[in-house]
Amino acid sequence: MIPWALSQNTALEISVEEVTRIKPLFMLGPREGHTVHWVIEVAPETLQKIEGKFAYLGMTKCKMKIYDSVTQCYNCQRFGHTARTCIDGQPRCRMCSERHDSRTCKSLTVKCPNCHSNKHDAASMKCPARTAATRKLTRQTDFGINDKSKNEKSKSSTTQSE
């Protein structure tokens, strides 16, 4: 956040020191679209001040909320890592669960490689394995509730509309 943005958001009661520790991580959504989601990393104390509130960036009003999406590997389809760091040598199809690249799948059978359900594929938001991975991620995030892991930082997402 740049200095002029701090003056636009006095209601958030964020100090200059807190602003300097806000770290943009990555952007979600279509790059050419009207809505962009920025994921930022903030200290737990800052998160408590901004969660559920709005911030103004220029002429844009942005909703601040927790980013709780878990990463999914497009190689093995498991959660918690990406294809770039995957150690599984062979790809697994997200649709039929067989050992081939999902982009070349010709099977009409649907089977989740994570929970083995025949009702959805690996990308389903209804997958119990995704729910469990999201719950694990939430448990590992320091929301400032306890002092066990002061080094962990909380991730927050901002929604920006043009």
Side-chain angles (χ1 to χ4, degrees), residues 9 35 56 61 65 71-72 93 107 135 148-149 153:
N9 296 290
T35 302
Y56 296 92
K61 183 177 181 180
K65 61 182 183 176
T71 56
Q72 183 174 11
C93 180
S107 176
R135 203 171 19 248
K148 286 184 181 176
S149 59
K153 295 206 177 168

Side-chain angles (χ1 to χ4, degrees), residues 100-118:
H100 59 259
D101 191 304
S102 300
R103 296 171 288 194
T104 62
C105 186
K106 295 181 181 8
S107 176
L108 299 175
T109 305
V110 174
K111 183 177 181 184
C112 177
N114 294 310
C115 72
H116 311 292
S117 169
N118 293 334

Side-chain angles (χ1 to χ4, degrees), residues 50-69:
I50 67 173
E51 182 185 4
K53 296 185 179 159
F54 290 95
Y56 296 92
L57 300 174
M59 298 293 285
T60 306
K61 183 177 181 180
C62 304
K63 174 82 171 182
M64 309 295 280
K65 61 182 183 176
I66 300 287
Y67 174 73
D68 62 355
S69 184

Side-chain angles (χ1 to χ4, degrees), residues 70-73 77-82 85 133-134 136-137 140:
V70 67
T71 56
Q72 183 174 11
C73 177
Q77 307 307 324
R78 291 189 208 115
F79 300 102
H81 68 278
T82 61
T85 60
T134 302
K136 179 181 176 186
L137 174 69
Q140 293 174 339

Side-chain angles (χ1 to χ4, degrees), residues 18-50:
E18 288 174 303
V19 169
T20 60
R21 293 188 295 157
I22 293 175
K23 179 181 170 188
L25 297 179
F26 54 90
M27 184 175 71
L28 297 170
R31 299 196 192 309
E32 304 296 324
H34 293 291
T35 302
V36 177
H37 304 277
W38 278 98
V39 177
I40 61 174
E41 186 176 77
V42 299
E45 304 81 41
T46 307
L47 177 65
Q48 291 173 1
K49 292 179 181 180
I50 67 173

